[in-house]
């Protein structure tokens, strides 16, 4: 199964982002991500054998669960994947620590992990046809992160469908 670790918003937050950011996204075209899909990926695992689930759950159990709050202040267009995402001005140290701890744990357990620098983002739209400069979001979007989640992704006719398999509450 296709798995990833993510910071996972509660349903109300997903709706607030989806509806609140709609005016920025409407003029850009592309394919809006449904509210239920909004999340911030920490580590993408790809295809994982079912019998490795217990290792991933243990890894999650070992993560630091300090409170984490993020402040998204702009939208970015990423040309190569053709997406528009919600971005923080910087990566706050507790987030860098969490992503680093997860990456190291996965690495040590023999999971293939992303080598690229971690760029926290929430994908809002894909297949966006025309590029744009980075766009400030006002008012900024403050988020008290409720949980880290292990999520399964399944390709469906209308796009990817996610199912949260396990959550670790923060704070
Ligand atoms: P779709 O691929 O159908 O457009 P998706 O990218 O949201 O949808 P997945 O490909 O299953 O669905 O990805 C799940 C999450 O992991 C998404 O946040 C995606 O951006 C991220 N992701 C996917 N592939 C990678 C990768 N190679 N490196 C880092 N993150 C990835
Ligand atoms: Mg994908």
């Amino acid at each position: 199964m296709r798995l990833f670790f993510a910071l996972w918003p509660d349903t109300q937050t997903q709706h607030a982002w989806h509806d609140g950011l709609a005016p920025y996204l409407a003029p850009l075209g592309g394919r809006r991500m449904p509210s239920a899909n909004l999340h911030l990926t920490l580590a993408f695992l790809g295809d994982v054998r079912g019998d490795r689930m217990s290792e991933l759950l243990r890894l999650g159990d070992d993560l630091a669960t300090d409170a984490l709050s993020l402040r998204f202040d702009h939208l970015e267009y990423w040309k190569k994947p053709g997406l528009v995402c919600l971005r923080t001005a910087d990566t706050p140290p507790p987030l860098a620590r969490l992503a680093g701890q997860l990456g190291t744990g996965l690495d040590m357990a023999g999971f293939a992990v992303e080598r690229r620098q971690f760029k926290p983002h929430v994908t809002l739209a894909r297949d966006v046809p025309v590029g744009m400069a980075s766009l400030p979001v006002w008012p900024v979007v403050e988020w008290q992160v409720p949980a880290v989640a292990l999520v399964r992704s399944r390709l469906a006719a209308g796009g990817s469908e996610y199912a949260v398999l396990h959550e670790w509450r923060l704070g």
Side-chain angles (χ1 to χ4, degrees):
M1 44 188 174
R2 189 177 173 90
L3 300 179
F4 61 103
F5 281 97
L7 301 181
W8 205 262
D10 55 37
T11 308
Q12 222 180 327
T13 302
Q14 289 177 317
H15 279 295
W17 292 353
H18 187 268
D19 297 352
L21 298 168
Y24 296 93
L25 297 168
L28 302 175
R31 182 165 56 88
R32 291 283 309 280
M33 295 298 101
S35 161
N37 280 27
L38 300 181
H39 67 277
L40 190 155
T41 299
L42 285 175
F44 178 75
L45 301 171
D47 230 355
V48 173
R49 289 205 329 255
D51 61 4
R52 301 208 70 186
M53 265 300 283
S54 58
E55 283 175 83
L56 293 174
L57 293 175
R58 268 202 307 278
L59 237 146
D61 289 342
D62 288 339
L63 291 175
T65 53
D66 306 325
L68 174 63
S69 65
L70 300 179
R71 195 166 184 274
F72 299 100
D73 65 355
H74 68 285
L75 300 185
E76 272 178 22
Y77 173 71
W78 290 0
K79 187 172 177 182
K80 218 161 125 200
L83 63 79
V84 169
C85 57
L86 184 59
R87 292 270 285 145
T88 53
D90 52 14
T91 303
L95 175 56
R97 274 199 295 278
L98 186 61
Q101 195 194 0
L102 191 55
T104 304
L106 290 168
D107 207 15
M108 286 186 353
F111 291 95
V113 285
E114 187 70 33
R115 293 278 156 215
R116 284 181 300 188
Q117 209 209 331
F118 174 57
K119 281 173 83 175
H121 66 281
V122 177
T123 300
L124 300 171
R126 293 176 186 273
D127 306 324
V128 176
V130 183
M132 60 154 202
S134 141
L135 191 66
V137 166
W138 184 263
V140 299
V141 177
E142 307 267 7
W143 185 35
Q144 184 74 46
V145 183
V148 173
L150 178 61
V151 186
R152 184 180 59 199
S153 169
R154 279 201 281 214
L155 197 63
S160 289
E161 281 178 6
Y162 303 142
V164 172
L165 302 181
H166 195 87
E167 274 192 333
W168 295 269
R169 308 301 292 182
L170 298 183

